[in-house]
C-alpha cells in the first residue's frame, strides 16, 4: 500500500533534502500550496527545528534539533508504512550506481592530459563525451527503476527520476551546465538530493555509506 506523507513532514523534509530552499521550492517539489508550506515552516521555526534567512530572499535551513525530529518522524512513518525493508534494499542497490554516477560526473568535468591529470574537459572529444553520456544514461535508467520501487511504498520519492532525466536530456542537447550547476535541478544536484532522502529516511549519517 502506497503511503502519502503529511504536508507538515514534507515541509520539514523539503528543507533538508533541498538544502536551504525557498518556500516555493519546497512547495513545487512536493506539489503543495506555498502558503501551507510557509505555515508549517513557521510552526517548525517556533519549535526550533528550522531557521529563516532573509539575506537573499526568504530561505530556510534545518537545525540540529530539527534534523533529529525529522529523522524521528521519518522512522515512525517508515515503520507505519511497513516500508523499511524496501527502502533498505533500494539503498543497498543504489550504492554501486552512486559510485558509477559520481565517476561519470567527474569524467564529464575533467579529462586528463599528459601535462595535467586534472585538466578541465573542454568537450572537444566526442568519443570521450559520448562514453560518459552512455554511462549517465545507464545510471538514469537504474535511478528510474529504484524510484519506481520506492514510490510503490512512499509517494514522496516520486519526482527524482523525472528531474534527473530532464536535466540529462538538456546536457545531451549541449546545455553542459545542467550536469552540475548548483542553482537548478541539475543531474548532480538531483542525485545528491535523492541520496540525502535515502539517508534521512533510514537515519544513516552522510558519508557513513561510502
Amino acid at each position: 500500500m502506497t503511503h502519502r506523507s503529511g504536508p507538515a513532514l514534507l515541509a520539514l523534509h523539503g528543507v533538508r533534502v533541498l538544502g536551504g530552499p525557498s518556500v516555493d521550492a519546497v512547495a513545487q517539489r512536493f506539489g503543495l500550496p506555498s502558503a501551507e508550506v510557509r505555515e508549517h515552516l513557521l510552526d517548525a521555526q517556533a519549535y526550533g527545528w528550522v531557521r529563516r534567512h532573509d539575506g537573499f530572499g526568504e530561505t530556510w535551513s534545518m537545525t540540529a534539533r530539527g534534523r533529529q525530529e525529522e529523522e524521528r518522524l521519518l522512522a515512525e512513518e517508515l515503520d507505519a508504512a511497513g516500508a523499511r525493508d524496501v527502502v533498505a534494499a533500494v539503498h543497498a542497490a543504489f550504492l554501486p550506481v552512486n559510485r558509477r554516477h559520481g565517476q561519470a560526473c567527474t569524467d564529464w568535468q575533467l579529462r586528463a592530459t599528459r601535462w595535467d591529470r586534472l585538466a578541465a574537459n573542454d568537450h572537444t572529444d566526442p568519443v570521450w563525451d559520448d562514453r560518459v553520456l552512455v554511462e549517465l544514461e545507464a545510471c538514469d535508467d537504474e535511478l528510474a527503476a529504484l524510484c519506481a520501487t520506492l514510490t510503490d511504498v512512499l509517494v514522496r520519492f516520486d519526482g527524482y527520476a523525472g528531474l534527473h532525466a530532464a536535466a540529462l536530456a538538456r546536457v545531451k542537447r549541449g546545455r553542459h551546465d545542467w550536469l552540475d550547476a548548483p542553482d537548478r535541478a541539475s543531474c548532480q544536484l538531483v542525485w545528491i538530493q535523492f541520496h540525502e532522502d535515502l539517508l534521512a529516511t533510514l537515519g544513516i549519517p552522510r558519508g557513513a555509506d561510502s
Side-chain angles (χ1 to χ4, degrees):
M1 189 75 176
T2 302
H3 175 81
R4 189 174 295 276
S5 305
L9 176 56
L10 289 175
L12 184 62
H13 187 57
V15 171
R16 176 168 176 175
V17 297
L18 297 180
S22 65
V23 165
D24 289 342
V26 176
Q28 183 177 2
R29 176 63 188 82
F30 293 115
L32 297 170
S34 293
E36 184 176 9
V37 170
R38 177 172 281 106
E39 285 302 314
H40 287 306
L41 289 182
L42 289 172
D43 289 343
Q45 182 183 34
Y47 286 116
W49 298 340
V50 296
R51 293 191 183 94
R52 175 175 169 169
H53 309 276
D54 295 305
F56 299 95
E58 181 188 325
T59 58
W60 296 80
S61 65
M62 183 170 282
T63 65
R65 183 177 172 187
R67 180 178 291 255
Q68 292 175 347
E69 175 64 13
E70 182 227 16
E71 290 185 356
R72 184 188 70 79
L73 293 171
L74 290 175
E76 285 184 355
E77 177 186 62
L78 194 60
D79 291 331
R84 183 172 295 277
D85 289 347
V86 173
V87 179
V90 166
H91 175 253
F94 170 74
L95 293 180
V97 186
N98 184 47
R99 288 190 288 271
R100 287 168 45 211
H101 189 272
Q103 185 59 56
C105 288
T106 297
D107 290 344
W108 185 260
Q109 296 159 335
L110 303 175
R111 184 169 176 272
T113 68
R114 281 191 302 171
W115 306 278
D116 185 0
R117 65 184 182 85
L118 297 178
N121 181 12
D122 60 8
H123 302 291
T124 59
D125 184 345
V127 174
W128 178 276
D129 280 3
D130 286 349
R131 179 184 62 79
V132 176
L133 288 173
V134 166
E135 178 67 346
L136 286 170
E137 287 173 344
C139 291
D140 183 73
D141 289 342
E142 295 191 52
L143 176 67
L146 294 174
C147 285
T149 299
L150 287 171
T151 53
D152 280 345
V153 292
L154 291 170
V155 173
R156 62 180 168 78
F157 278 99
D158 189 27
Y160 289 112
L163 289 170
H164 187 272
L168 182 56
R170 289 184 171 97
V171 175
K172 291 167 64 179
R173 292 197 298 267
R175 296 289 304 278
H176 296 169
D177 49 336
W178 278 88
L179 188 282
D180 59 359
D183 62 346
R184 68 200 70 180
S186 63
C187 290
Q188 202 166 48
L189 187 61
V190 171
W191 197 274
I192 290 169
Q193 290 169 354
F194 174 72
H195 191 185
E196 184 67 20
D197 206 334
L198 285 175
L199 295 176
T201 301
L202 293 170
I204 299 172
R206 174 161 282 281
D209 64 346
S210 327

